Amino acid sequence: MPMAPAPKEIAERLAALARACHARGWALGSSGNFSAVAGRDPLRLAITPSGVDKGRLAAAEIVEIDGTGRQVAGSGRPSAETALHLTVVRARGAGAVCHTHSLWSTLLSERCAAGGGLAIEGLEMLKGLSGVASHRHREWLPVIDNDQDWERAAPGVERMLAEQPALHGFLIRGHGLYTWGRDLDEAQRHLEVLEFLIELLARRGGADAVREGPWPS
Ligand SMILES: [Zn+2]
């Protein structure tokens, strides 16, 4: 029997977000994934399908998974990075997760990998991140290694998120950005803010532009 589609309103918003990110060059081809919690008890996550061009993604193609990653609705195949979305939702209590493969995040993730990440400070745009009230805030964006088996790598990501509760996102080396929010509105805002800041730092270029290494506590 064919599976029921994911909840309509969430599916429409996820598909529209994916198409908008494709249009901005942040999720070209079938790259990137977007998800939103459709139910908490039991956990249900609506997520973009694997292998579908984000520029043409339709709401009907959004799939729904349970807390173990098992598909419970929708006809597409869940993303290969489903395990990371579930990890962020659990570790952060997030209501939505955005993952992009922008040129600038890919470039900066490689440039900053040796230092474990990059710090961003002194920029007004930082105030778009939840809980940040001043441009003097120092935002730490860790870089983790890329992996093709996120089921296996997810526990390490979960540990990092537990150990660094102030994070708003992280980069995967040579791959892209993950960020999240309490709902889709906040996740989208964090995505726009972080993509702006990442592009700014990457365009500045040079060793001075990116302060590497974890911040002193
Ligand atoms: Zn990816």
Side-chain angles (χ1 to χ4, degrees):
M1 202 169 81
M3 286 184 177
K8 194 162 179 279
E9 194 197 331
I10 292 177
E12 278 171 2
R13 288 211 52 194
L14 284 174
L17 177 60
R19 291 193 302 268
C21 287
H22 177 274
R24 303 187 78 159
W26 298 347
L28 294 176
S30 59
S31 71
N33 318 113
F34 305 87
S35 69
V37 171
R40 286 276 180 195
D41 193 19
L43 182 62
R44 292 284 184 267
L45 191 70
I47 188 164
T48 49
S50 178
V52 178
D53 192 308
K54 295 298 183 296
R56 294 195 298 265
L57 185 65
E61 294 172 292
I62 300 293
V63 300
E64 200 177 329
I65 57 171
D66 67 12
T68 67
R70 194 175 60 90
Q71 186 167 354
V72 294
S75 54
R77 208 157 35 90
S79 154
E81 291 181 45
T82 293
L84 272 188
H85 286 250
L86 285 170
T87 295
V88 171
V89 165
R90 279 209 202 87
R92 277 298 200 267
V97 181
C98 298
H99 169 49
T100 47
H101 288 200
S102 71
L103 183 105
W104 299 111
S105 67
T106 304
L107 187 142
L108 209 55
S109 70
E110 298 215 289
R111 196 186 285 168
C112 300
L118 73 146
I120 312 171
E121 65 170 332
L123 294 161
E124 183 68 12
M125 198 64 150
L126 285 163
K127 287 160 63 181
L129 300 173
S130 74
V132 176
S134 166
H135 66 283
R136 292 195 191 88
H137 169 79
R138 289 173 171 180
E139 181 71 18
W140 175 246
L141 203 55
V143 179
I144 65 171
D145 281 333
N146 200 11
D147 205 303
Q148 297 306 314
D149 183 353
W150 290 111
E151 295 264 7
R152 186 192 59 207
V157 176
E158 194 157 354
R159 264 196 308 280
M160 175 187 76
L161 293 173
E163 285 164 10
Q164 302 183 63
L167 297 181
H168 291 90
F170 59 86
L171 291 167
I172 305 175
R173 183 176 191 168
H175 180 156
L177 168 72
Y178 266 84
T179 185
W180 52 85
R182 64 176 169 267
D183 54 26
L184 253 175
D185 286 339
E186 188 175 273
Q188 186 174 342
R189 194 178 81 232
H190 287 168
L191 176 64
E192 291 183 3
V193 166
L194 288 174
E195 285 286 2
F196 172 95
L197 293 165
I198 287 165
E199 181 174 345
L200 187 145
L201 291 187
R203 280 177 182 263
R204 269 186 191 163
D208 299 345
V210 178
R211 295 174 199 205
E212 292 184 359
W215 287 102
S217 51

